[in-house]
Amino acid sequence: MGMLDLVTYPDPRLNAQSEPADPDEVRDLVGAMFETMYAEEGIGLAAVQVGRPLRVFITKVQDDRERVYINPEIVETSIEEDTAEEGCLSIPDVRADVTRPARVGVQATNLKGRTFRLNAQGLLARAIQHELDHLNGRLFIDHLDEREREALLADYAGSPRRER
Ligand code: ZN
């Protein structure tokens, strides 16, 4: 499958609600997603970002291994929140501070079809929440207040990187 083209904002496909996935049918897709994510220097990628609206995302955060999440659900969130800067391969060159729960428990299926539960904190917890948002058609800029979002997108509209 090789490198995949990224879907970038404001493509309406990014607003889609992704559909449940079959672990047996996404192996090639997941391989190509890792290849694409590394080429673009990302730490997470959702299938919808490469035009496949399936409930699948991957992460590779520093000091952690490659992880694949199929049909993931966040089953626990901490009351404690954390604010840090985020970006997204689908919104090139746009970064903003986003506040999210500091820790999450996620349940998902892996490529072998086994269900697992992962408790994450720090950057991994942030990446999991960011990617899971993608499966529900939500982008990190949707967490910002309207004024901040408009200011960011005014810059984005003027960016030559928007040309595809
Ligand atoms: Zn993203």
Side-chain angles (χ1 to χ4, degrees):
M1 205 177 279
M3 280 275 292
L4 301 168
D5 287 336
L6 284 172
V7 175
T8 54
Y9 182 87
D11 192 311
R13 286 177 290 175
L14 291 171
N15 303 125
Q17 189 77 19
S18 291
E19 299 293 329
D22 180 340
D24 291 332
E25 292 175 2
V26 297
R27 197 171 308 269
D28 291 348
L29 172 63
V30 165
M33 284 170 64
F34 274 109
E35 195 177 323
T36 304
M37 182 180 75
Y38 291 135
E40 300 289 343
E41 297 180 353
I43 60 167
L45 187 67
V48 68
Q49 293 181 272
V50 291
R52 313 294 201 284
L54 295 170
R55 301 191 78 77
V56 178
F57 70 80
I58 58 174
T59 59
K60 174 63 181 83
V61 173
Q62 71 250 21
D63 302 328
D64 189 35
R65 60 179 177 81
E66 292 183 346
R67 294 184 187 274
V68 178
Y69 312 72
I70 301 169
N71 304 323
E73 281 181 59
I74 290 187
V75 292
E76 195 177 347
T77 55
S78 64
I79 293 165
E80 185 194 346
E81 293 184 319
D82 184 34
T83 300
E85 194 178 66
E86 290 187 25
C88 179
L89 294 181
S90 291
I91 319 177
D93 301 328
V94 171
R95 302 190 70 82
D97 282 346
V98 179
T99 300
R100 299 182 186 271
R103 295 177 303 281
V104 295
V106 62
Q107 185 172 299
T109 301
N110 66 18
L111 279 175
K112 293 172 182 162
R114 295 202 187 98
T115 301
F116 65 92
R117 157 87 188 244
L118 173 68
N119 294 314
Q121 58 183 345
L123 188 56
L124 182 58
R126 179 166 297 278
I128 287 167
Q129 293 173 82
H130 176 118
E131 299 310 330
L132 210 139
D133 273 354
H134 275 299
L135 307 191
N136 297 320
R138 194 154 196 235
L139 300 171
F140 80 95
I141 54 173
D142 296 324
H143 287 267
L144 309 176
D145 67 45
E146 200 178 329
R147 201 170 141 184
E148 192 180 0
R149 185 164 55 244
E150 276 174 14
L152 270 178
L153 296 180
D155 291 345
Y156 180 75
S159 166
R161 287 275 306 266
R162 192 184 168 190
E163 303 299 328
R164 282 189 288 145

